[in-house]
Amino acid sequence: GAVVSQHPSRVICKSGTSVKIECRSLDFQATTMFWYRQFPKQSLMLMATSNEGSKATYEQGVEKDKFLINHASLTLSTLTVTSAHPEDSSFYICSARHTGHPYEQYFGPGTRLTVT
Amino acid sequence: LAKTTQPISMDSYEGQEVNITCSHNNIATNDYITWYQQFPSQGPRFIIQGYKTKVTNEVASLFIPADRKSSTLSLPRVSLSDTAVYYCLVGDIYNNDMRFGAGTRLTVKP
């Protein structure tokens, strides 16, 4: 089956630093990838939609200058949390839509970010 | 966007069939219905997807009535490992508007 990986699986950083999270589709091409954030005991909240080769579309209330998204290839999207603060601590999950089968969307295992 | 409503939680026992119903009264013509399972600290896992009537795969069945205003995920003979949160998503898969609702926390007891 289609596999999406995320790296790192967990990261701890100091307040004010930036953190980059990678999302890769391992065995399929993904024109569109999505980034979600999930706080404990809550549902997933869509942050942004990224399309290969173009700018990401951010959901209302998500700061595009703080959460930088790059989708440079059909298998890789990155989310950079800039100047991280403790309130950015969360579980970040990406998903990728199979280019050849748009009704198939696969999720990564998530990245646990802790900002101290 | 079709908003979904699911029960917040459900309890069941091992070996029982579990049916989780999702209401989506404002579902649009192009919307599909997709169900995901999520364990703690993991990404969601695809369970099943459908547009109308009944869909069955190796893990679940999805029942969608003719008016498509609701759908029911059926899990046959659940086990302890089926304890998870189940999400019903409704959206136009071609226009990238899939949103997660609150989900249903299923607890399977021995």
Side-chain angles (χ1 to χ4, degrees):
Chain A
V3 178
V4 175
S5 70
Q6 282 185 241
H7 178 79
S9 58
R10 56 180 64 235
V11 57
I12 301 173
C13 70
K14 292 186 176 181
S15 186
T17 62
S18 295
V19 175
K20 179 184 285 188
I21 302 170
E22 292 187 350
C23 176
R24 293 181 185 272
S25 56
L26 298 185
D27 50 0
F28 66 99
Q29 292 185 333
T31 305
T32 304
M33 289 186 173
F34 306 88
W35 286 95
Y36 296 84
R37 181 166 55 180
Q38 185 175 34
F39 293 107
K41 302 289 186 181
Q42 294 186 23
S43 182
L44 286 78
M45 185 193 77
L46 180 65
M47 299 176 66
T49 301
S50 73
N51 291 295
E52 185 264 340
S54 62
K55 291 184 177 180
T57 301
Y58 291 82
E59 294 298 302
Q60 192 172 7
V62 178
E63 300 175 59
K64 61 180 180 181
D65 294 330
K66 180 171 183 61
F67 298 99
L68 302 178
I69 292 172
N70 182 276
H71 191 162
S73 78
L74 289 174
T75 60
L76 173 65
S77 176
T78 60
L79 167 68
T80 301
V81 182
T82 62
S83 186
H85 289 94
E87 57 265 31
D88 297 324
S89 297
S90 188
F91 193 52
Y92 291 87
I93 306 170
C94 73
S95 70
R97 173 162 293 159
H98 195 302
T99 298
H101 305 281
Y103 50 85
E104 296 179 8
Q105 184 173 339
Y106 301 95
F107 286 81
T111 296
R112 175 76 58 192
L113 170 63
T114 303
V115 184
T116 61
Chain B
L1 298 177
K3 182 179 178 180
T4 60
T5 303
Q6 303 173 234
I8 294 175
S9 63
M10 294 180 67
D11 289 341
S12 183
Y13 291 92
E14 283 190 290
Q16 290 187 335
E17 178 185 74
V18 171
N19 296 309
I20 306 174
T21 297
C22 179
S23 297
H24 28 81
N25 292 319
N26 297 322
I27 190 168
T29 302
N30 294 331
D31 289 345
Y32 277 70
I33 301 159
T34 312
W35 285 81
Y36 288 88
Q37 175 193 55
Q38 187 184 29
F39 298 111
S41 296
Q42 295 186 25
R45 182 177 74 99
F46 173 88
I47 300 175
I48 199 166
Q49 183 179 75
Y51 183 80
K52 62 179 179 181
T53 62
K54 178 183 175 182
V55 180
T56 298
N57 61 23
E58 62 274 11
V59 298
S61 294
L62 178 60
F63 299 92
I64 307 169
D67 66 4
R68 304 204 321 127
K69 294 183 182 299
S70 67
S71 59
T72 299
L73 173 71
S74 180
L75 304 172
R77 291 189 293 280
V78 295
S79 63
L80 296 177
S81 62
D82 292 317
T83 293
V85 178
Y86 292 81
Y87 293 98
C88 159
L89 276 73
V90 174
D92 186 338
I93 58 175
Y94 293 95
N95 288 330
N96 303 326
D97 64 357
M98 304 285 278
R99 300 285 191 278
F100 281 82
T104 297
R105 188 172 298 275
L106 173 66
T107 302
V108 180
K109 302 176 182 178

